[in-house]
Amino acid sequence: MTQQAFGKTADGTPATLYTMTNKNGMQVAITNYGGTVVSIKVPDRKGTIADVTHGYDDAAGYETGKAYFGGTIGRYGNRIAHGTFSIDGVQYALPKNDGENTLHGGLMGFNKVFWTVKDISGNGPVALQLDYVSKDGEEGFPGKLTVRVIFTLTDSDELKINYAATTDKKTVLNLTNHTYFNLGGSGTILEEELMLAADKFTPVDKGLIPTGVLQPVAGTPFDFRKPMVIGSRIGDDEEQLKFGRGYDHNWVLNSKGSAKPSLVATVFDTKSGRKMEVWTTEPGIQFYTGNFLDGTIKGKGGTPYVLRSALCLETQHFPDSPNHPSFPTTELLPGAKFSSETIYKFSTK
Ligand code: BGC
């Protein structure tokens, strides 16, 4: 584990970049600003290392950035319709930062705050523990939420993310990580192959809020049960793809939310040979194809991030669950402990 300065936020607070390296030379860098995954460096089939994630060169980039690159997302990942929900008859109002809706925790989500970081590697694999306490009422959410996220880089080339949270009042939460992956290291992700172990997805309205229906993927461009080239149907004349400007939907995982992580997605880049598996205990996954990237964002080393130059696979509970009692619950009660685990495993073939 190495540490280096990672610039400052506007108020002068210095950020730190922590780089974890495993025995194979795979590297994952994380900053305390936003609990953000800044880079993941893995070899291709010839052994050439590339950074397979989007991001910025310093904390200031993340502070002003609006794309959530690599961030730890909370208190509520994805959208809450009209920025409101009720618990036990009490209505809560959240800041609306995505048209009429609240996206990724509001204006100052968990990706825009400093986390307390501790190296907990010991004798095992390299690991970082990140802690944050979200105040009662922060961004409109009830209850003081104590959150711990542990990032572990194993010698099997896995980035393992363990989330834990407790609250002092009934609240809602949906924690995820928003890394943008491009297994080729550059270009677009349209030729990469994706598998999603999901028979259904949650279709959305124009504002990308789930209608509440769990729709079978069979016979639609949303069927990734067998590996499919991402670009092969993304341009189909289909209402859901139009609403999302591509893929920007939640898939209902067949594993349903399992006690142990289940294999729910694989991405394979035929050109470089890099492969990524996603394992999770969560019941859903947001597959997003970087539809809002348009080349205006200049990321690491000044690289312009163009349309569909990366994809996100955000393990999660379903969007807008607090307003959909039929979805798996996102409520957390005092005295209960929330925990979930997601693994991004890299290999080549
Ligand atoms: C959402 C997209 C949003 C993106 C922000 C994704 O999780 O589903 O709609 O634009 O995050 O980068």
Side-chain angles (χ1 to χ4, degrees):
M1 181 91 63
T2 60
Q3 281 186 38
Q4 66 194 86
F6 197 54
K8 290 180 179 143
T9 50
D11 66 0
T13 313
T16 306
L17 187 68
Y18 301 82
T19 303
M20 306 191 277
T21 306
N22 73 4
K23 77 165 199 294
N24 310 319
M26 175 179 166
Q27 288 191 321
V28 175
I30 288 166
T31 175
N32 54 342
Y33 183 73
T36 304
V37 174
V38 171
S39 65
I40 300 178
K41 292 181 180 166
V42 284
D44 66 7
R45 64 163 79 82
K46 290 184 192 142
T48 308
I49 308 274
D51 177 4
V52 295
T53 69
H54 278 11
Y56 300 103
D57 290 323
D58 57 20
Y62 290 95
E63 186 180 27
T64 52
K66 295 191 170 67
Y68 305 90
F69 292 149
T72 293
I73 305 296
R75 187 176 299 200
Y76 198 96
N78 212 282
R79 292 176 177 78
I80 295 184
H82 308 293
T84 185
F85 65 94
S86 298
I87 297 179
D88 297 336
V90 180
Q91 201 180 359
Y92 296 93
L94 314 173
K96 296 174 182 171
N97 60 336
D98 184 63
E100 263 304 285
N101 306 316
T102 302
L103 176 65
H104 295 329
L107 298 168
M108 287 286 285
F110 293 178
N111 62 308
K112 297 278 184 195
V113 299
F114 277 96
W115 293 67
T116 304
V117 177
K118 195 172 160 196
D119 178 354
I120 55 160
S121 306
N123 296 324
V126 269
L128 274 182
Q129 175 177 291
L130 279 73
D131 287 308
Y132 179 66
V133 179
S134 167
K135 290 195 269 312
D136 184 9
E138 192 172 301
E139 295 298 294
F141 290 96
K144 172 177 150 194
L145 188 78
T146 304
V147 193
R148 174 165 288 176
V149 183
I150 297 177
F151 293 94
T152 307
L153 175 60
T154 73
D155 286 333
S156 321
D157 294 346
E158 299 161 317
L159 172 61
K160 204 196 274 188
I161 312 179
N162 289 85
Y163 301 88
T166 53
T167 183
D168 66 355
K169 269 187 206 159
K170 208 175 194 184
T171 191
V172 294
L173 89 163
N174 193 20
L175 302 174
T176 190
N177 178 273
H178 210 306
T179 296
Y180 283 64
F181 298 96
N182 178 323
L183 295 185
S186 61
T188 77
I189 48 80
L190 291 170
E191 285 169 32
E192 296 182 9
E193 281 173 17
L194 174 73
M195 184 283 293
L196 291 173
D199 294 339
K200 293 179 182 157
F201 77 110
T202 51
V204 291
D205 66 15
K206 272 192 213 125
L208 300 184
I209 299 294
T211 60
V213 172
L214 306 186
Q215 190 179 313
V217 295
T220 77
F222 292 80
D223 190 351
F224 286 94
R225 290 173 297 177
K226 292 202 183 101
M228 185 168 84
V229 173
I230 292 167
S232 62
R233 298 196 261 176
I234 201 168
D236 280 13
D237 184 14
E238 206 270 346
E239 187 178 56
Q240 284 298 312
L241 287 171
K242 295 222 163 84
F243 285 166
R245 302 199 202 180
Y247 295 106
D248 188 357
H249 297 78
N250 170 68
W251 270 254
V252 178
L253 296 170
N254 294 341
S255 53
K256 287 189 157 75
S258 46
K260 289 265 157 62
S262 305
L263 177 64
V264 297
T266 60
V267 188
F268 177 55
D269 177 43
T270 42
K271 274 195 219 140
S272 65
R274 290 193 190 90
K275 186 180 163 192
M276 181 176 81
E277 292 178 356
V278 185
W279 296 68
T280 193
T281 58
E282 285 292 312
I285 199 165
Q286 188 82 10
F287 169 48
Y288 170 61
T289 40
N291 310 319
F292 295 104
L293 299 176
D294 60 5
T296 53
I297 299 175
K298 305 280 186 291
K300 295 173 204 170
T303 308
Y305 293 136
V306 299
L307 184 70
R308 304 199 173 130
S309 56
L311 60 85
C312 301
L313 286 165
E314 302 150 68
T315 56
Q316 62 183 3
H317 274 57
F318 306 171
D320 200 30
S321 294
N323 294 310
H324 289 280
S326 61
F327 288 174
T329 186
T330 49
E331 283 187 358
L332 182 66
L333 276 59
K337 185 175 172 188
F338 170 83
S339 66
S340 76
E341 181 170 331
T342 292
I343 299 167
Y344 296 100
K345 181 178 168 57
F346 295 86
S347 58
T348 57
K349 88 173 182 192

